[in-house]
Each structure stands twice: as structure tokens, then as C-alpha cells.
Amino acid sequence: MARVAARLSADGEQSTHPVDEVLPVPKLALYGFQHVLAFYAGAVIVPIIVGGALKLSPEELVYLINADLFTCGIASIVQAWGIGRIGARLPLIQGVTFTAVSPMIAIGLGAGGGTAALLVIYGAVITAGIATFAFAWLPAKAFRAVMRLFPPVVTGTVITVLGVVLLPVGLNDAAGGLGSPDFGDPKHFAYAGGTMLFILVLMKLGRPFLSSIAILLGLVGGTAVAFLLGDAKFGSVSDADWIGITTPFHFGAPQFEWFPIVLMLIVMLITMVETTGDTYAVGDIVGKEVDSETVARALRADGAATALGGVLNSFPYVAFAENVGLVRMTKVKSRFVVVAAGVFMIILGLLPKAAAIVASVPHGVLGGAATVMFAMVALAGIQTLAKVDLKEEKNALVVGVSLAFALLPATVPVLFKEHMDPDLSSLLNSGVTLGATAAIVLNLVFNGLAKDDAHTAALPAELPAQASAPAARPSAPADAPTGPKAGPKTEPDAEPDAEPDAEGAPTPAS
């Protein structure tokens, strides 16, 4: 098992950090399954959209969904459990990135659609995954130099953009699912509103256990009500097979073409920013200090999962912001909950009937729960930005203008559909891509490169109660908040320089 971090309690005894706490099996199963339900819609929507655009058959589409869930499970276990110096060892769920949807559709349509198009996509995905994995193994100094592109003003903006861009996804589900015949029917909003109200009431009660499974109870309760009223259909369960095995290169050997590879490399640059932001965000939420080595391990898991996705008939992977919001809501910090969720996802990837049951949650119910979670993602970004001096006009411009760019694809879609080259549109028609790129470029223009370990330098003097006070850090960068600073303190959770981990690999100090 991965090394369990320990700290000194007030009486001098060692105590396990909440992130490394192994909960009882019933709680692991319950909390893990809640993560699966929270993540499920976002996980399957990418293969559904891409498969539909490429005109795949229903059987091929089901296979894509099962392959996606199976690979998500493996990737999440690697990210949360950790294998050597791969995986952040934080409660981060891995899922297929939305950023890749438009580029993959463009690549697929350019290759003529159908399963032949998937082979070209998989060639690009495998190459981009290997490149990401290799990038994250750069020497510590070189990697930290690259990470200077991502101070809190950038990562906070990207997380906020993710939440803002995801909110319409939840609201579209609340309206019945974009493209459905009864899209906008008030009954869908009734289910969404009822589910949301139920979740908020559970949170208001303030009982820790109920609050921690509020999303799960909201989804189960909303689905039960919809079933009693005749609006939850389980007919697809009987049509699904009992067992579905994912095999490497199911559709054939991948094809490697230069333009799709370049396009996918750009996608992975954006996902690296997403994962970096999510890693720092979840570190703040659980009270675990995140340094450049932690980020590097998270990105190695991204790269390995993406390359594995191309082999197992899936797509590029990223740390899922939706589940970062769930960690914040539930306050369940154990990374082993994500390991349990990974096991559930692997099982769902092997059991199409089980996946069909989860897929039967009505859109309205799912939308109500998703809207709450996506709002919490945006809040996590805002909290990161709270560490930034937004009274400084330069920082305010970075945040404000980046948000404006992020809203452009959803606000003026005609620009990308009718007035832009298709190849360029496939790259830019994404709020996350535009918002993240704008944040990086504008920060370089106004603030230049941040100082080393800008993220940790900008952390507040007091972390949540579960964490100890941070150690003394380098002077804060220009975008760090001004005001009194805490004196030097000793971080009980801090690890000595180059301390070997459980597998014997040294962990470089950041």
C-alpha cells in the first residue's frame, strides 16, 4: 500500500492525515458509489457525443461507454492510490476531458467517420498521452520552471472557468437533456428543483453523515419519485448484455497522422492546466500541502491514463473538476474513497446491465444534483482567487478577460460554426480552452513568470482545521495577497528532502 503520511497530534502521538485514512468498508463503498453517480454523466457524455458524431452503431457506442468506464476506474485508482512516483495520492477522480470533444470529432470526420476514424483518434491519443507522461518526468528544476506559468491567479481562473462552463451542462440536464424531444418541459425542472431542494435540506441539517451522502440520496430519491410517476424508464436494462469485456485495440490497430497528433498535443496542454488547478484545489480542500512533485505525479497519471485510453478504446483523461466539488461538499477527504469508486467503475465497465441501471437516472434529477456540484467547482476557483490581490488591476484584468473568453463559444456559437476554418474551430470552440489560454497569456503579459513554488507561497496562513499550519515559505509573488504574514512554523506533514516513498523512489523536495 502507498505510504501513509503521518503527523504529530497535540499529545505527541502520530495520527493519520484525513487524506490517507482508510475508512470502514461500508463507508468506502457508500462514498465511492456516490462519486461514481456524481461523475457518471460527465464520463459517458463524451463517448456518446463523439460516437454519435461519427455515426457509430448502438453496439459500438455501448462498447465505447464500457471501455471508458473501465479505463476511468483504472486511471482513478492509479491517481488516488499511487504507483511509485505516478499518481497524486489525493482524492482525484479521472475522467475523459470535455476539451477533447471538438478536436476528436474534427479528426474523426476528417478521417471519414465510423470505426476507421476511431483508429486515427486513438493514434493521436496514445501519442499525446506518452508525451504528457514524458513531460512530467522533466528534472525537478525544469518542471518547476514550467509550473511558474501557473500561479494562483491562473489556476484559480481556470478552476472558476471550469465551474462556469460546466454549469450550462447541468442546467441542460435539468431541462431534460439537450436534443431531447421534450427539452424544456417544466416537469424536468420540477425534478431538478426537487432534487436540488432535497440536497440543500440535507446539507442544512448539518449532520455530517447525511451531508456527506447528500448527492447520492438526492439522486436515489429523485429517481424513485420519477419512477413512481412513470418518468424513470428501466427498459434498456433488459436489452443490455450481462458481461462486456474491454480488449486492447478492439477496433483495429491505431493510425498515426501528424495533424491529429498536433491537435491532441494542444488538448493535453490544456488538460495539464486543468489537472494542475484541480490538484491545488483539492489539496486546499483536504488540507494537504501540494508542491511541484505532487503536481508532476498527477500529470504522470494523466499521461499514463491517456495512453492507456488509446489502447483500451477510450479517450484523453484529466482530473475531474466535478468530483473536486463533491469532495468539498461532503468533506470526505480519504483518497481511498476514490479507490473504491475506481473499483465500482471497473465493475460497471464489465457489466453493461449495471451501467444501464445507473444510466436510467432521469435527466432532470441528474441536472439538479449536477448544478449544485458544478457551482461548488466554481466556488473552489473563487476561493483560490481569494489568495490573489485582486485590487491589483493587472490580476483583475487576467481574471475578468479570461472569463469573457471562456463564455464566447456558448454566447456566440455562430462565430465558430460559420465564420471560422473547421480545423481552427475544432481547437478553439471550447470555453475551457479559450479561458485557460487567455489566463496564461494575459498573466505572462501583465505579471511575467511567477516565482518558484508560487502556489505554496500564496497559500493562506491558516489551512482548514484538519491540517497544520504551513511551513515557512519563500516570499510571495506579485499576485499574492498583501498584509500580515504568519511567522515561520514547522509543518508536521512535511516530508524531509528526498525521503524514499514506499516503493523506494526518492521524492524530490520542491
mmCIF file of all heavy atoms in Angstrom, residues 204-225:
data_model
loop_
_atom_site.group_PDB
_atom_site.id
_atom_site.type_symbol
_atom_site.label_atom_id
_atom_site.label_comp_id
_atom_site.label_asym_id
_atom_site.label_seq_id
_atom_site.Cartn_x
_atom_site.Cartn_y
_atom_site.Cartn_z
ATOM 1 N N LYS A 204 -28.352 21.468 5.017
ATOM 2 C CA LYS A 204 -28.748 22.417 6.058
ATOM 3 C C LYS A 204 -28.875 21.748 7.410
ATOM 4 O O LYS A 204 -28.605 22.360 8.457
ATOM 5 C CB LYS A 204 -30.076 23.080 5.658
ATOM 6 C CG LYS A 204 -30.666 24.023 6.702
ATOM 7 C CD LYS A 204 -29.773 25.236 6.925
ATOM 8 C CE LYS A 204 -30.428 26.214 7.894
ATOM 9 N NZ LYS A 204 -29.518 27.358 8.198
ATOM 10 N N LEU A 205 -29.300 20.487 7.434
ATOM 11 C CA LEU A 205 -29.450 19.775 8.695
ATOM 12 C C LEU A 205 -28.142 19.714 9.473
ATOM 13 O O LEU A 205 -28.138 19.629 10.695
ATOM 14 C CB LEU A 205 -29.975 18.355 8.441
ATOM 15 C CG LEU A 205 -31.422 18.258 7.954
ATOM 16 C CD1 LEU A 205 -31.780 16.805 7.656
ATOM 17 C CD2 LEU A 205 -32.387 18.842 8.985
ATOM 18 N N GLY A 206 -27.034 19.739 8.722
ATOM 19 C CA GLY A 206 -25.730 19.819 9.358
ATOM 20 C C GLY A 206 -25.222 18.540 9.973
ATOM 21 O O GLY A 206 -24.203 18.533 10.659
ATOM 22 N N ARG A 207 -25.929 17.430 9.774
ATOM 23 C CA ARG A 207 -25.442 16.163 10.296
ATOM 24 C C ARG A 207 -24.368 15.630 9.361
ATOM 25 O O ARG A 207 -24.629 15.421 8.171
ATOM 26 C CB ARG A 207 -26.590 15.169 10.423
ATOM 27 C CG ARG A 207 -27.654 15.627 11.420
ATOM 28 C CD ARG A 207 -28.822 14.675 11.500
ATOM 29 N NE ARG A 207 -29.829 15.155 12.436
ATOM 30 C CZ ARG A 207 -31.005 14.569 12.640
ATOM 31 N NH1 ARG A 207 -31.306 13.471 11.947
ATOM 32 N NH2 ARG A 207 -31.864 15.068 13.496
ATOM 33 N N PRO A 208 -23.160 15.391 9.856
ATOM 34 C CA PRO A 208 -22.029 15.061 8.974
ATOM 35 C C PRO A 208 -22.295 13.905 8.025
ATOM 36 O O PRO A 208 -21.976 13.987 6.840
ATOM 37 C CB PRO A 208 -20.905 14.736 9.969
ATOM 38 C CG PRO A 208 -21.261 15.501 11.205
ATOM 39 C CD PRO A 208 -22.751 15.490 11.267
ATOM 40 N N PHE A 209 -22.896 12.821 8.543
ATOM 41 C CA PHE A 209 -23.078 11.659 7.680
ATOM 42 C C PHE A 209 -24.085 11.954 6.568
ATOM 43 O O PHE A 209 -23.850 11.638 5.395
ATOM 44 C CB PHE A 209 -23.543 10.452 8.492
ATOM 45 C CG PHE A 209 -23.728 9.212 7.666
ATOM 46 C CD1 PHE A 209 -22.624 8.554 7.136
ATOM 47 C CD2 PHE A 209 -24.992 8.715 7.395
ATOM 48 C CE1 PHE A 209 -22.786 7.412 6.354
ATOM 49 C CE2 PHE A 209 -25.166 7.578 6.625
ATOM 50 C CZ PHE A 209 -24.062 6.927 6.103
ATOM 51 N N LEU A 210 -25.212 12.582 6.905
ATOM 52 C CA LEU A 210 -26.214 12.909 5.894
ATOM 53 C C LEU A 210 -25.645 13.884 4.862
ATOM 54 O O LEU A 210 -25.889 13.759 3.661
ATOM 55 C CB LEU A 210 -27.465 13.500 6.547
ATOM 56 C CG LEU A 210 -28.391 12.525 7.271
ATOM 57 C CD1 LEU A 210 -29.580 13.267 7.865
ATOM 58 C CD2 LEU A 210 -28.878 11.440 6.319
ATOM 59 N N SER A 211 -24.888 14.867 5.340
ATOM 60 C CA SER A 211 -24.293 15.833 4.417
ATOM 61 C C SER A 211 -23.320 15.161 3.463
ATOM 62 O O SER A 211 -23.242 15.514 2.290
ATOM 63 C CB SER A 211 -23.564 16.937 5.205
ATOM 64 O OG SER A 211 -24.470 17.664 5.995
ATOM 65 N N SER A 212 -22.602 14.148 3.966
ATOM 66 C CA SER A 212 -21.573 13.515 3.158
ATOM 67 C C SER A 212 -22.151 12.660 2.039
ATOM 68 O O SER A 212 -21.470 12.376 1.054
ATOM 69 C CB SER A 212 -20.645 12.661 4.037
ATOM 70 O OG SER A 212 -21.360 11.553 4.572
ATOM 71 N N ILE A 213 -23.409 12.217 2.177
ATOM 72 C CA ILE A 213 -24.025 11.406 1.118
ATOM 73 C C ILE A 213 -25.247 12.114 0.531
ATOM 74 O O ILE A 213 -26.137 11.481 -0.041
ATOM 75 C CB ILE A 213 -24.408 10.000 1.625
ATOM 76 C CG1 ILE A 213 -25.412 10.093 2.782
ATOM 77 C CG2 ILE A 213 -23.196 9.209 2.026
ATOM 78 C CD1 ILE A 213 -26.000 8.750 3.168
ATOM 79 N N ALA A 214 -25.286 13.451 0.662
ATOM 80 C CA ALA A 214 -26.449 14.211 0.203
ATOM 81 C C ALA A 214 -26.689 14.043 -1.297
ATOM 82 O O ALA A 214 -27.835 13.905 -1.749
ATOM 83 C CB ALA A 214 -26.272 15.689 0.555
ATOM 84 N N ILE A 215 -25.609 14.056 -2.093
ATOM 85 C CA ILE A 215 -25.761 13.914 -3.540
ATOM 86 C C ILE A 215 -26.326 12.539 -3.881
ATOM 87 O O ILE A 215 -27.253 12.404 -4.693
ATOM 88 C CB ILE A 215 -24.405 14.121 -4.240
ATOM 89 C CG1 ILE A 215 -23.901 15.552 -4.025
ATOM 90 C CG2 ILE A 215 -24.529 13.833 -5.739
ATOM 91 C CD1 ILE A 215 -24.746 16.623 -4.684
ATOM 92 N N LEU A 216 -25.782 11.506 -3.257
ATOM 93 C CA LEU A 216 -26.261 10.145 -3.504
ATOM 94 C C LEU A 216 -27.739 10.015 -3.146
ATOM 95 O O LEU A 216 -28.545 9.497 -3.932
ATOM 96 C CB LEU A 216 -25.433 9.150 -2.692
ATOM 97 C CG LEU A 216 -25.886 7.686 -2.728
ATOM 98 C CD1 LEU A 216 -25.841 7.135 -4.137
ATOM 99 C CD2 LEU A 216 -25.033 6.844 -1.792
ATOM 100 N N LEU A 217 -28.114 10.506 -1.957
ATOM 101 C CA LEU A 217 -29.513 10.414 -1.538
ATOM 102 C C LEU A 217 -30.418 11.234 -2.458
ATOM 103 O O LEU A 217 -31.551 10.834 -2.746
ATOM 104 C CB LEU A 217 -29.655 10.891 -0.087
ATOM 105 C CG LEU A 217 -28.985 10.016 0.974
ATOM 106 C CD1 LEU A 217 -29.174 10.615 2.361
ATOM 107 C CD2 LEU A 217 -29.533 8.594 0.934
ATOM 108 N N GLY A 218 -29.917 12.381 -2.923
ATOM 109 C CA GLY A 218 -30.702 13.194 -3.842
ATOM 110 C C GLY A 218 -30.974 12.473 -5.158
ATOM 111 O O GLY A 218 -32.093 12.492 -5.677
ATOM 112 N N LEU A 219 -29.947 11.809 -5.695
ATOM 113 C CA LEU A 219 -30.117 11.072 -6.952
ATOM 114 C C LEU A 219 -31.048 9.877 -6.775
ATOM 115 O O LEU A 219 -31.927 9.622 -7.610
ATOM 116 C CB LEU A 219 -28.755 10.609 -7.459
ATOM 117 C CG LEU A 219 -27.818 11.710 -7.986
ATOM 118 C CD1 LEU A 219 -26.416 11.166 -8.190
ATOM 119 C CD2 LEU A 219 -28.352 12.300 -9.268
ATOM 120 N N VAL A 220 -30.875 9.138 -5.671
ATOM 121 C CA VAL A 220 -31.730 7.971 -5.423
ATOM 122 C C VAL A 220 -33.170 8.414 -5.181
ATOM 123 O O VAL A 220 -34.124 7.851 -5.751
ATOM 124 C CB VAL A 220 -31.204 7.156 -4.226
ATOM 125 C CG1 VAL A 220 -32.189 6.068 -3.839
ATOM 126 C CG2 VAL A 220 -29.851 6.544 -4.559
ATOM 127 N N GLY A 221 -33.349 9.425 -4.342
ATOM 128 C CA GLY A 221 -34.691 9.899 -4.037
ATOM 129 C C GLY A 221 -35.401 10.467 -5.255
ATOM 130 O O GLY A 221 -36.578 10.169 -5.503
ATOM 131 N N GLY A 222 -34.682 11.274 -6.035
ATOM 132 C CA GLY A 222 -35.281 11.855 -7.241
ATOM 133 C C GLY A 222 -35.671 10.792 -8.254
ATOM 134 O O GLY A 222 -36.738 10.865 -8.884
ATOM 135 N N THR A 223 -34.810 9.782 -8.411
ATOM 136 C CA THR A 223 -35.115 8.698 -9.349
ATOM 137 C C THR A 223 -36.314 7.885 -8.877
ATOM 138 O O THR A 223 -37.159 7.480 -9.684
ATOM 139 C CB THR A 223 -33.885 7.780 -9.512
ATOM 140 O OG1 THR A 223 -32.774 8.562 -9.966
ATOM 141 C CG2 THR A 223 -34.153 6.683 -10.521
ATOM 142 N N ALA A 224 -36.407 7.652 -7.564
ATOM 143 C CA ALA A 224 -37.541 6.896 -7.021
ATOM 144 C C ALA A 224 -38.855 7.626 -7.279
ATOM 145 O O ALA A 224 -39.854 7.015 -7.682
ATOM 146 C CB ALA A 224 -37.340 6.666 -5.521
ATOM 147 N N VAL A 225 -38.859 8.940 -7.051
ATOM 148 C CA VAL A 225 -40.070 9.730 -7.310
ATOM 149 C C VAL A 225 -40.425 9.688 -8.795
ATOM 150 O O VAL A 225 -41.594 9.503 -9.169
ATOM 151 C CB VAL A 225 -39.876 11.185 -6.838
ATOM 152 C CG1 VAL A 225 -41.043 12.062 -7.289
ATOM 153 C CG2 VAL A 225 -39.734 11.238 -5.324
#
